[in-house]
Amino acid sequence: FRRTLSASSLRMDAPQVSSADQGKADKNVVIIDALRDQTRDKFRALINSLKGIMNSSDPESKEVTDRLTFALSMENGFFWDDAYASDALDDMARSDIFKSVVSKLQGLVACHPDEVEPKSKEARRRLTFFVNSLFMDMPNAPSIHDMFSWNVLTPYYKETVTLSKGELETRSDALGVSTMLYLQTLFKPDWANFLERMGLQDEEKVWSKKYAAETRQWASIRAQTLNRTVSGMMYFEKALRLLANLERLDDDTTNDLMGEKFGYIVACQVYGQMKKDQDSKADDIENLMHRFPHMRVAYIDSVRLQRSGEMAFFSCLVKSDGNGSIQELYRVRLPGNPILGEGKPENQNHAMIFTRGEFVQTIDMNQEGYFEEALKMRNALQEFAKREGPMPTTILGLREHIFTGSVSSLANYMALQETSFVTLGQRVLTKPLCIRLHYGHPDIFDKLFFITRGGISKSSKGINLSEDIFAGYNNAIRGGQVAFKEYLQVGKGRDVGMSQIYQFEAKLSQGAGEQSLSRDVYRLCHRLDFSRLLSYYFGGIGHYFSNVLTVFTVYVVVYLMAILALYDIEKIGDRLITPMGTVQMLLGGLGLLQTIPLFSTLGVERGWWASTRELIQVFATGGPLHFMFHIQTKANYMTQTILVGGAKYRPTGRGFVTQHTPMDEHYRFFASSHLYLGMEMSAGLVIMAIFTEAGQYFGRTWSLWLASLSFLISPFWFNPLAFEWNSVTSDYVKFISWMRGNSGGAGRSWSIWWSEENSFYSKMPFASKIWFIIKSILYLTIAEGIARSNLLLADTTLSQPKIGVTFVVMAIVVLFLMWWLLGTVEHLMPYPVRRTIGIVIALGLTVSIITVFIEDKNFIRYGLAAYYGIGAMCQLGLLYGNKAVKKFYFVHDLVCGHIIFIWLFVNAILQIPHHIQTWLLYHNALSSDVVVSNILRYARKSQESGGTSAPNEDLVEQIAELRKVVQKQEQMIEDISTGGARSKPMRQNPSTDAIASLINAPSSEQLNIRHTMVAAPTPMAGMGRPTLSASNLDVWGEMALGDAAAKNPGYQTMPNVPTSATAGSSDFSFTQPDVMPPR
């Protein structure tokens, strides 16, 4: 390994050697022979050691042993042929790739496991999964020539392609946190590695012209962007190039096979319009095409034919011509505008004609690929050649890894939920239930099967809202079979904010409602046997029906228990009902058993201690509230879609959610679906608490209270800075302004929002209205019970009121009529007059109501009864389009809003809930590195003051103090994570130590390695080259291209910036030994 001079070079130089130095030259030749022999001895000892550990009884081990013995005994081989051995060592000494491999091998065997183990959790996860997957049942891979061909198809609309400097630097929240600062904090080690790779010591230079593109690329592949998806999917081609290189295929043959076996098409339907509008996203898409020459973009182009406005539509396919321009490959005339139904499936359908492979893999825009997984794609495609059962495999499902779980607690909940479905759920649906369908990307389709049976996407408006599942229905009806394999995974991003998750769940629920009304489900259910029919219900729309029944049951139980207590019928005859509160609590605890499957999955993949800690964190951070909240989300939109219709696609967004959402926006989102129901159930439980006589109130109602509070509290608990005083006061001002607004859309006016939100009631068929009529009867029953009860019963015959109650009641009625009249003619009045009259009426109503309650306490009971009675009338008025009920709903929303604000103000005054909430909400992402609520705020200030000539002294002091706090917290976290030990002794590993001692046998020769010291934020010790980040790392670029990499820059590689930190082969220096080792 330490060869510096070759025997051939000495022979070439022999004629120039003088006779006086002939003996010295011969001695030098002897030196070379000694190095060769020393290398032989070490290789011979290594091979003998390998033979010693082989199991002779195992046939495979015996075959390996025979091959090793043959290598040791070949007369014309390395161990016995001196000339061949010298030439082989010469060739290796001249090869840069060999030097690189040997230096990496040296680093692996000469270091202890703790030094070479990747520090990145993501790197460890990917390596662990890849190694484990190699032991799974996987078909043998054919040669590149014989493998199946496939295309990857990604539908794209107007999402972010590559994050721009403006998007990264814009600050839009109360903390002043930009996306760039958030990413730097979330991926702190990766950012340090990036600066080291670029050779930057000053972070201010990252936006210079030289590094701006690299900085945008670094940020984009860590967000949910098209850049990340394309970069990941093009690893398939890089993996095929590596495999072709291992099969000793020449470059021309490899390039031909790449176009034949793989293709990537981005269906960007509005790319042509972007070009016309000079949208920067079009430029970013073109940059991707230039980076990846085999990437294609399909789009819809429209051309005006005549002055009358008639348009011609074309499906176009473009690519990069390799010279910085875009070349059009195909232009297909269409009979009309192809976007007739849902946009996403229509986008996929128009691009399907440009796919050339035998199979099509659909990849969504929030997914990514991994190089090591791409190596197994040949094996995965062979699943279609197998026939497991009577029907052919037509859809191959793959495992997904949710990479957004570390962003926040909400994102972690979604990641765990998806992990449960895409692993446990789909595994069971495949075997033994045999009813797995197509649930979305990244499934692989048998293209020939599907294009002759209706395609992979149905796109009718409304009914095909969840277009993915209909491909599964079509496949099952027409005789296809679905397989699901877990040895290959694809990354996937999920929604990370409360509003995003809400819209996502609403979209799925509305899609399930439309499915239950579709012909496809009707036909499928009539053709399934009874067992598979039950399995389909379990794995399909039955999940959403179960959520509807769960919420309906909770609602009925609350009102049933309240009515029994209100009418004093909690008994049979004279015997009270015996409550079973203790048993109910015990049964509720059994619900924790449902976490066992998830616990087992996490335990196998991450370790049992990590699995236990994960579940504890979920419960501690409010996970049960989140999941109960979205049970109601699914139930509400499933019911609404079946009764009313109106399903529509809801874009959820892909960004990071770090900003605070105002109260008025939360109220618009969640009032109709959650807040009203939470208030209603809480009021019913309070009424029950007042009138019940059965006992064990907490034991009987704890689960009902938990459900009610989850509907009310969850939107605010998972809202950043919801309990900070400044945010609460600002939210209150915005909420009151929104309630008073009369124009500007639903975002600025309660009146417009209410009209839009409740417009569907009057359009419902009578059969759907029956449910709401029953609800009105329920309100009237509660109102009658309260009015008859003895609650706050007062005898007015003993004390005459000072003000006649009848007179006050008449005044209240008159004031309400004046309020109604004011609302009808307010547009005719000037603002000062309208404002003054409104204040007078409001004060009059307030004083009158308080007076009535003081003079006669019975009116408190009558007021509660009237509240339910008016609610019943308003519900009926809403069903039949009576606009007079709008004023009463305004009062109801005002009351509900203030009840919520009382809770928010109390938590803001206490201040402790604010700090607890912030830490728990971002525990997964930031708590191990920073003090969340402070460091982000002051990091922005320090960046702003960094470029000024006279820095603010107070700010400098605050930052200095803050740094001390951060260092102290980091030290505490480090102590906790290491069990209190500051210094951890190096663990000994006998196997690696034996290999290290074998390779590095004692010798007088020394291998001199020059470590180039580079000042970096996070120096990496123990390695000759800096440790790079694991996300989308181009590890195999040189190996995939072989020796041609030195002449021709590697395929799909970005220009490398030469720095002192990555000097290539110049990092190593080989010197001639001064002392001859004994022969």
Side-chain angles (χ1 to χ4, degrees):
F1 288 93
R2 301 181 176 88
R3 193 171 187 79
T4 58
L5 281 177
S6 66
S8 59
S9 63
L10 287 178
R11 285 195 296 271
M12 290 175 62
D13 296 338
Q16 302 176 5
V17 178
S18 63
S19 59
D21 297 332
Q22 183 66 39
K24 185 176 181 181
D26 293 338
K27 187 177 180 181
N28 289 338
V29 174
V30 173
I31 293 176
I32 300 303
D33 291 341
L35 292 176
R36 180 194 60 205
D37 295 341
Q38 185 182 10
T39 304
R40 282 176 171 175
D41 293 340
K42 290 183 177 180
F43 269 119
R44 188 176 288 107
L46 175 63
I47 292 178
N48 287 327
S49 299
L50 293 176
K51 289 175 60 179
I53 63 175
M54 291 294 176
N55 184 6
S56 58
S57 61
D58 185 13
E60 293 183 359
S61 299
K62 188 176 185 302
E63 182 180 354
V64 173
T65 304
D66 292 341
R67 290 179 178 272
L68 293 175
T69 304
F70 177 74
L72 287 173
S73 59
M74 275 185 62
E75 294 184 1
N76 58 346
F78 180 81
F79 292 100
W80 298 102
D81 190 333
D82 294 344
Y84 173 76
S86 298
D87 291 340
L89 291 177
D90 289 342
D91 293 340
M92 288 188 291
R94 296 190 189 100
S95 174
D96 292 334
I97 294 180
F98 178 78
K99 294 177 184 177
S100 176
V101 172
V102 170
S103 64
K104 291 179 180 179
L105 181 62
Q106 165 75 11
L108 288 174
V109 299
C111 299
H112 288 280
D114 290 342
E115 295 177 338
V116 297
E117 184 178 352
K119 300 298 186 295
S120 169
K121 292 181 180 179
E122 176 67 5
R124 292 199 297 270
R125 182 197 66 79
R126 285 173 54 177
L127 288 173
T128 301
F129 177 82
F130 176 72
V131 174
N132 288 338
S133 68
L134 299 180
F135 295 92
M136 298 182 185
D137 185 15
M138 190 187 312
N140 294 328
S143 66
I144 298 293
H145 283 283
D146 298 332
M147 68 173 289
F148 289 123
S149 61
W150 92 105
N151 290 100
V152 178
L153 181 64
T154 297
Y156 167 83
Y157 186 55
K158 289 183 178 179
E159 297 88 350
T160 302
V161 180
T162 302
L163 292 171
S164 64
K165 180 182 177 181
E167 292 171 327
L168 290 170
E169 294 293 307
T170 301
R171 307 181 183 98
S172 58
D173 61 349
L175 287 175
V177 181
S178 64
T179 302
M180 190 67 187
L181 181 59
Y182 187 74
L183 288 172
Q184 289 171 352
T185 309
L186 192 61
F187 301 100
K188 189 175 180 182
D190 289 1
W191 178 247
N193 294 333
F194 171 75
L195 295 177
E196 186 177 353
R197 284 200 306 276
M198 295 295 104
L200 291 172
Q201 300 181 13
D202 185 3
E203 290 192 18
E204 298 296 330
K205 294 182 180 180
V206 295
W207 292 117
S208 63
K209 187 175 181 180
K210 183 178 181 181
Y211 302 110
E214 293 284 352
T215 303
R216 292 179 60 198
Q217 175 73 10
W218 180 89
S220 297
I221 61 176
R222 285 161 179 81
Q224 297 187 50
T225 61
L226 181 64
N227 193 323
R228 181 175 193 164
T229 303
V230 172
S231 300
M233 291 303 109
M234 293 309 291
Y235 279 130
F236 283 124
E237 185 169 353
K238 186 172 287 188
L240 288 180
R241 286 183 178 274
L242 172 61
L243 296 173
N245 182 264
L246 295 177
E247 293 183 11
R248 300 294 188 268
L249 300 180
D250 57 69
D251 292 341
D252 293 336
T253 304
T254 300
N255 290 331
D256 292 340
L257 285 174
M258 291 305 101
E260 176 185 341
K261 298 299 184 181
F262 173 75
Y264 185 39
I265 298 172
V266 178
C268 174
Q269 66 186 57
V270 293
Y271 169 74
Q273 189 62 40
M274 288 179 177
K275 289 288 291 182
K276 295 175 183 178
D277 298 339
Q278 296 183 349
D279 193 336
S280 61
K281 293 179 181 177
D283 298 331
D284 293 334
I285 292 174
E286 292 179 2
N287 289 335
L288 288 176
M289 285 192 279
H290 295 321
R291 282 181 57 204
F292 306 110
H294 282 76
M295 170 188 165
R296 306 288 186 264
V297 170
Y299 70 97
I300 298 171
D301 194 17
S302 57
V303 179
R304 188 182 299 277
L305 296 179
Q306 302 172 355
R307 292 185 178 180
S308 61
E310 183 179 354
M311 304 292 291
F313 294 89
F314 300 87
S315 283
C316 304
L317 186 72
V318 296
K319 71 165 188 174
S320 171
D321 63 356
N323 298 317
S325 300
I326 301 301
Q327 175 186 355
E328 185 174 286
L329 300 177
Y330 298 102
R331 176 174 286 263
V332 181
R333 177 75 179 267
L334 302 174
N337 188 355
I339 309 299
L340 300 176
E342 296 293 341
K344 183 178 177 182
E346 294 282 25
N347 192 10
Q348 290 184 161
N349 287 335
H350 101 88
M352 186 59 63
I353 59 173
F354 300 122
T355 59
R356 291 290 181 266
E358 301 164 87
F359 302 94
V360 174
Q361 182 180 19
T362 51
I363 293 292
D364 210 348
M365 209 222 72
N366 60 343
Q367 296 188 273
E368 71 167 339
Y370 308 115
F371 177 81
E372 67 276 9
E373 301 303 313
L375 295 170
K376 296 177 284 188
M377 196 62 188
R378 287 189 305 174
N379 308 74
L381 291 175
Q382 288 302 114
E383 296 287 350
F384 290 97
K386 298 165 59 178
R387 194 180 183 93
E388 298 178 353
M391 296 180 292
T393 299
T394 50
I395 298 179
L396 177 63
L398 303 178
R399 174 193 169 104
E400 292 175 299
H401 165 70
I402 310 302
F403 57 73
T404 52
S406 63
V407 174
S408 65
S409 294
L410 282 175
N412 188 40
Y413 302 155
M414 285 297 290
L416 292 175
Q417 179 178 317
E418 287 295 307
T419 300
S420 178
F421 174 71
V422 302
T423 55
L424 298 177
Q426 296 195 28
R427 186 185 305 159
V428 172
L429 289 174
T430 305
K431 288 184 180 180
L433 300 185
C434 299
I435 198 60
R436 184 193 185 273
L437 302 172
H438 171 56
Y439 302 105
H441 312 81
D443 287 4
I444 305 172
F445 294 88
D446 185 339
K447 179 186 164 187
L448 299 179
F449 179 89
F450 274 90
I451 63 175
T452 57
R453 292 166 176 81
I456 66 171
S457 300
K458 290 193 174 183
S459 54
S460 298
K461 199 74 174 178
I463 196 73
N464 295 130
L465 177 63
S466 299
E467 82 285 349
D468 299 322
I469 193 69
F470 285 93
Y473 293 150
N474 192 35
N475 178 69
I477 293 172
R478 296 177 184 269
Q481 181 171 317
V482 181
F484 177 68
K485 301 299 177 181
E486 298 185 64
Y487 55 75
L488 196 150
Q489 68 174 356
V490 177
K492 188 176 184 67
R494 272 295 173 214
D495 311 285
V496 298
M498 191 70 182
S499 299
Q500 292 179 353
I501 296 173
Y502 174 81
Q503 292 186 81
F504 174 74
E505 296 287 2
K507 180 178 68 175
L508 293 184
S509 303
Q510 288 186 319
E514 294 288 353
Q515 292 170 41
S516 63
L517 305 175
S518 67
R519 292 191 186 100
D520 301 76
V521 172
Y522 175 83
R523 292 168 179 163
L524 178 67
C525 293
H526 274 72
R527 287 161 175 79
L528 291 176
D529 57 80
F530 184 68
S531 298
R532 291 187 73 196
L533 184 62
L534 295 180
S535 301
Y536 165 70
Y537 180 84
F538 164 75
I541 57 177
H543 170 72
Y544 295 92
F545 277 116
S546 299
N547 286 321
V548 172
L549 294 175
T550 299
V551 175
F552 178 74
T553 302
V554 170
Y555 188 82
V556 169
V557 167
V558 168
Y559 273 100
L560 181 61
M561 295 173 70
I563 290 173
L564 289 176
L566 195 58
Y567 286 90
D568 195 22
I569 50 177
E570 293 180 310
K571 53 188 176 182
I572 301 174
D574 294 330
R575 182 167 59 86
L576 287 174
I577 296 175
T578 303
M580 304 294 288
T582 306
V583 176
Q584 289 185 35
M585 294 182 66
L586 180 62
L587 293 176
L590 294 178
L592 297 176
L593 296 177
Q594 294 184 1
T595 62
I596 290 180
L598 180 62
F599 174 74
S600 302
T601 302
L602 295 177
V604 171
E605 295 186 357
R606 306 182 191 177
W608 297 108
W609 170 242
S611 177
T612 304
R613 187 174 56 192
E614 185 73 49
L615 291 181
I616 292 174
Q617 286 182 3
V618 168
F619 280 91
T621 54
L625 297 179
H626 167 81
F627 292 113
M628 284 188 287
F629 180 86
H630 286 296
I631 287 177
Q632 167 57 12
T633 303
K634 298 170 188 174
N636 176 76
Y637 283 98
M638 179 77 173
T639 306
Q640 182 181 348
T641 303
I642 293 177
L643 297 180
V644 184
K648 60 181 180 180
Y649 181 80
R650 298 169 182 267
T652 57
R654 313 284 191 192
F656 296 99
V657 179
T658 59
Q659 68 269 20
H660 170 77
T661 304
M663 164 68 176
D664 59 312
E665 185 175 338
H666 260 335
Y667 201 86
R668 288 193 300 273
F669 257 101
F670 305 117
S672 299
S673 58
H674 293 84
L675 300 183
Y676 291 164
L677 180 61
M679 286 289 181
E680 189 177 339
M681 290 173 56
S682 300
L685 292 172
V686 170
I687 290 173
M688 176 193 169
I690 294 173
F691 292 99
T692 186
E693 297 178 357
Q696 295 192 17
Y697 174 77
F698 178 77
R700 290 188 294 154
T701 61
W702 69 273
S703 57
L704 303 175
W705 271 113
L706 191 60
S708 304
L709 293 178
S710 70
F711 300 158
L712 291 172
I713 293 176
S714 293
F716 309 100
W717 174 254
F718 296 109
N719 184 21
L721 303 177
F723 304 137
E724 190 181 46
W725 179 259
N726 293 333
S727 298
V728 175
T729 53
S730 175
D731 287 354
Y732 183 75
V733 172
K734 291 179 181 178
F735 178 76
I736 297 300
S737 175
W738 175 68
M739 292 291 294
R740 292 174 177 173
N742 293 316
S743 61
R748 296 187 178 182
S749 170
W750 174 90
S751 178
I752 299 175
W753 167 79
W754 186 89
S755 300
E756 294 177 356
E757 190 74 16
N758 299 285
S759 60
F760 66 89
Y761 280 103
S762 59
K763 301 176 184 178
M764 286 193 301
F766 180 76
S768 299
K769 291 181 179 179
I770 291 177
W771 296 100
F772 298 95
I773 294 174
I774 295 174
K775 192 175 180 180
S776 299
I777 296 173
L778 198 61
Y779 290 166
L780 290 174
T781 305
I782 295 291
E784 175 66 16
I786 294 175
R788 287 185 178 185
S789 68
N790 297 326
L791 178 66
L792 297 175
L793 183 63
D795 189 358
T796 56
T797 60
L798 301 178
S799 59
Q800 293 295 329
K802 298 179 181 179
I803 303 175
V805 175
T806 305
F807 172 77
V808 178
V809 172
M810 291 178 61
I812 292 175
V813 173
V814 170
L815 288 172
F816 268 113
L817 290 174
M818 292 176 62
W819 188 20
W820 176 73
L821 289 173
L822 178 64
T824 58
V825 299
E826 62 181 358
H827 61 282
L828 303 175
M829 297 180 180
Y831 177 76
V833 176
R834 183 174 73 243
R835 181 74 169 165
T836 303
I837 295 175
I839 292 175
V840 171
I841 293 175
L843 289 175
L845 281 172
T846 303
V847 172
S848 301
I849 292 173
I850 293 175
T851 302
V852 167
F853 290 161
I854 292 175
E855 294 293 342
D856 190 351
K857 293 183 179 180
N858 291 313
F859 274 92
I860 299 178
R861 183 174 70 257
Y862 297 151
L864 291 175
Y867 197 81
Y868 274 95
I870 293 173
M873 297 298 104
C874 289
Q875 183 71 74
L876 294 175
L878 199 61
L879 292 175
Y880 293 97
N882 191 333
K883 296 182 180 180
V885 302
K886 190 173 184 178
K887 294 293 182 183
F888 294 99
Y889 277 106
F890 178 83
V891 175
H892 176 262
D893 282 353
L894 205 59
V895 172
C896 291
H898 279 81
I899 290 175
I900 294 173
F901 266 114
I902 290 173
W903 177 68
L904 293 177
F905 273 115
V906 170
N907 284 285
I909 292 172
L910 295 176
Q911 294 187 0
I912 296 177
H914 159 62
H915 296 288
I916 296 175
Q917 180 222 19
T918 304
W919 187 82
L920 290 177
L921 188 60
Y922 290 104
H923 174 77
N924 288 22
L926 306 174
S927 63
S928 61
D929 294 321
V930 293
V931 183
V932 181
S933 59
N934 295 322
I935 190 65
L936 296 179
R937 180 185 293 113
Y938 287 109
R940 174 177 63 89
K941 293 183 179 179
S942 62
Q943 284 185 355
E944 290 178 350
S945 64
T948 60
S949 57
N952 187 343
E953 294 182 0
D954 294 336
L955 182 61
V956 172
E957 276 186 23
Q958 292 173 345
I959 294 174
E961 291 296 326
L962 184 61
R963 284 173 177 167
K964 294 179 181 178
V965 175
V966 173
Q967 292 173 358
K968 184 176 180 181
Q969 189 205 36
E970 288 181 344
Q971 187 60 54
M972 292 174 60
I973 293 174
E974 183 181 354
D975 292 344
I976 294 173
S977 62
T978 59
R982 297 283 181 97
S983 60
K984 186 176 180 180
M986 194 70 68
R987 296 196 305 266
Q988 298 295 321
N989 189 312
S991 59
T992 54
D993 289 347
I995 297 176
S997 61
L998 180 64
I999 299 249
N1000 293 317
S1003 174
S1004 58
E1005 297 177 13
Q1006 297 297 327
L1007 177 61
N1008 299 324
I1009 301 177
R1010 293 199 306 270
H1011 294 278
T1012 305
M1013 303 304 295
V1014 179
T1018 308
M1020 300 295 180
M1023 298 295 291
R1025 296 171 62 89
T1027 303
L1028 306 182
S1029 70
S1031 302
N1032 292 298
L1033 182 59
D1034 185 2
V1035 180
W1036 304 98
E1038 296 178 359
M1039 296 185 185
L1041 293 173
D1043 295 334
K1047 302 177 182 178
N1048 187 19
Y1051 171 74
Q1052 61 187 45
T1053 57
M1054 295 293 292
N1056 291 327
V1057 181
T1059 65
S1060 59
T1062 56
S1065 60
S1066 63
D1067 285 347
F1068 301 94
S1069 175
F1070 299 91
T1071 60
Q1072 177 73 15
D1074 297 327
V1075 181
M1076 171 67 186
R1079 189 172 178 83

